[in-house]
Amino acid sequence: MPSGAQWSFLCPAGSTAWVLPQSQVAGLLWAGWNATDVGTGVFSGSLSLQLVSVTGGQFSVYQTALGAPTVLFHSRASGPDTQNLAPGAHTHRNWAFNTATTYKITFRVSGTLAGTSTVKSAQDTVTFQVLK
């Protein structure tokens, strides 16, 4: 990891972090999330994507613009854990792991059905195996 406070959310400077980049790279998983199959008008406003739990080590999702990272999700208790997702949208970001191990990462997506006060939600766990 490079030095600088802006990168300290991943791990200490000089340590190793494993990162799936936000840009497509041959041979690497291109991780992201999407609501492209959710039609407009099904939900009232945006959907909420929440990081529920992480086992294995520290995990974060961040984006970079002009070199500075913006943390979107982080497994630390003080880290961000919710992002809005517009129906029909998709995104790819950097997914970072601080150790080579197996991670189980649980996300929940929820939204209010249009014209009602009914909240629909679903939760799923994804597994990543980070290898040295």
Side-chain angles (χ1 to χ4, degrees):
M1 287 311 308
S3 61
Q6 73 268 25
W7 296 103
S8 64
F9 69 94
L10 288 174
C11 56
S15 298
T16 299
W18 288 260
V19 178
L20 293 171
Q22 68 188 43
S23 300
Q24 192 169 15
V25 174
L28 291 178
L29 178 66
W30 195 26
W33 53 89
N34 80 66
T36 55
D37 291 337
V38 177
T40 57
V42 174
F43 290 95
S44 176
S46 294
L47 299 169
S48 175
L49 181 62
Q50 179 184 20
L51 175 63
V52 175
S53 65
V54 175
T55 63
Q58 284 191 20
F59 162 76
S60 60
V61 175
Y62 67 96
Q63 64 185 18
T64 52
L66 302 175
T70 300
V71 180
L72 304 174
F73 293 108
H74 201 292
S75 60
R76 287 191 310 241
S78 62
D81 67 355
T82 304
Q83 293 294 310
N84 289 328
L85 176 62
H90 79 279
T91 190
H92 296 276
R93 300 293 182 237
N94 301 290
W95 294 54
F97 307 86
N98 77 330
T99 190
T101 191
T102 300
Y103 290 78
K104 293 198 179 286
I105 304 168
T106 302
F107 289 96
R108 177 182 300 122
V109 64
S110 59
T112 303
L113 291 174
T116 74
S117 60
T118 303
V119 174
K120 291 289 190 177
S121 67
Q123 183 170 301
D124 204 0
T125 301
V126 291
T127 302
F128 290 88
Q129 187 167 9
V130 177
L131 304 173
K132 286 186 179 184

